[in-house]
Amino acid sequence: MIVQDNLRQEILKSRVLDGWVDSPNAWVWEHVGTVHTVQGREAGVVAFVLGAQLFSQNGARAWAGGRPNLVNVAVTRAKASLYVIGNRQLWKSAGVFAVLNRYLPDGGNLGSPE
């Protein structure tokens, strides 16, 4: 819930939706949610944001990685594109995220030094 709430706030604060949607506040409540709240819905593009970015948060990553339905729901919502955002080094060994890691392109950091 913390990631979802913070993402909503950052989107609204950035004003990126101004001029694109009639009601940015309503848009973030309809389009930004947890894996559980988006279950059953589809979108052209899905950003799968992984929290637990601290090394010490192994328990949270193990819990999420121990439930294949979380990853399945997240990736099957995307009709065209899926973006996975998080610390790959920490998540790639967290249960079923190891499988997801195999399907992601290597070096997926935009703008990283060559």
Side-chain angles (χ1 to χ4, degrees), residues 1 3-9 11-12 17 24-35 37-38 41 47 49:
M1 299 284 264
V3 173
Q4 143 190 294
D5 293 341
N6 287 343
L7 185 54
R8 285 177 178 149
Q9 289 175 9
I11 290 170
L12 290 172
L17 297 175
N25 194 53
W27 189 94
V28 296
W29 280 94
E30 292 169 13
H31 293 87
V32 176
T34 66
V35 170
T37 61
V38 299
R41 293 190 277 167
V49 181

Side-chain angles (χ1 to χ4, degrees), residues 52 54-67 91 94:
L54 301 177
F55 182 78
S56 62
Q57 293 174 302
N58 289 334
R61 288 187 300 275
W63 176 84
R67 291 166 167 71
W91 278 95

Side-chain angles (χ1 to χ4, degrees), residues 30-91:
E30 292 169 13
H31 293 87
V32 176
T34 66
V35 170
H36 301 293
T37 61
V38 299
Q39 194 166 359
R41 293 190 277 167
E42 290 185 329
V45 176
V46 170
F48 186 21
V49 181
L50 305 173
Q53 71 273 17
L54 301 177
F55 182 78
S56 62
Q57 293 174 302
N58 289 334
R61 288 187 300 275
W63 176 84
R67 291 166 167 71
N69 61 315
L70 290 177
V71 174
N72 182 57
V73 168
V75 302
T76 58
R77 301 308 96 194
K79 294 195 298 188
S81 298
L82 171 70
Y83 295 91
V84 180
I85 302 165
N87 186 328
R88 187 175 193 166
Q89 292 303 322
L90 294 177
W91 278 95

